[in-house]
Amino acid sequence: MQYLVSVIDDKVNPGSTDRQPAISEFNDRLIADGYWVFAGGLADTESATVIDNRGGQAVFSDGPFVESKEYLAGVWVWETPDLDVALKLAAEASKVCDRKIEVRPFG
């Protein structure tokens, strides 16, 4: 089963900025254990563009879709035997990257 693992940061109370070495080590372990499918960090929400082409003409808006103190900072896609393994890894990921983590079935 694959899971989308979202990293949630908070503009009011952001996670530590010195986490990259620990995150890299965690990622290396995910790869070695065969759970890694994909991962990536996202640029700040200020660089987002929202496109709404549901009407007669596409409307392009600068900035994130929703104004919120919390935002999506990055993602992993993991393949694990079951949800329990994904949740255990997500608890570790939250500690490693000092941010909230959301886990959802993917695919």
Side-chain angles (χ1 to χ4, degrees), residues 52-107:
D52 185 353
N53 196 17
R54 296 175 293 172
Q57 182 175 347
V59 176
F60 293 79
S61 304
D62 290 337
F65 172 66
V66 204
E67 292 294 327
S68 171
K69 68 178 187 135
E70 293 184 335
Y71 64 96
L72 183 62
V75 298
W76 278 286
V77 176
W78 297 338
E79 186 158 347
T80 64
D82 55 45
L83 179 60
D84 290 338
V85 173
L87 293 178
K88 181 177 179 262
L89 291 169
E92 286 185 62
S94 178
K95 183 172 271 315
V96 166
C97 67
D98 191 30
R99 285 160 178 81
K100 292 180 184 178
I101 300 293
E102 177 183 86
V103 178
R104 293 172 132 180
F106 183 75

Side-chain angles (χ1 to χ4, degrees), residues 11-89:
K11 288 191 180 279
V12 175
N13 186 21
S16 302
T17 58
D18 62 347
R19 307 306 299 166
Q20 194 54 52
I23 294 168
S24 293
E25 184 177 314
F26 181 72
N27 286 341
D28 289 343
R29 201 175 93 234
L30 290 172
I31 292 166
D33 292 344
Y35 300 130
W36 176 278
V37 175
F38 173 82
L42 298 172
D44 189 81
T45 57
E46 301 299 318
S47 66
T49 303
V50 176
I51 299 96
D52 185 353
N53 196 17
R54 296 175 293 172
Q57 182 175 347
V59 176
F60 293 79
S61 304
D62 290 337
F65 172 66
V66 204
E67 292 294 327
S68 171
K69 68 178 187 135
E70 293 184 335
Y71 64 96
L72 183 62
V75 298
W76 278 286
V77 176
W78 297 338
E79 186 158 347
T80 64
D82 55 45
L83 179 60
D84 290 338
V85 173
L87 293 178
K88 181 177 179 262
L89 291 169

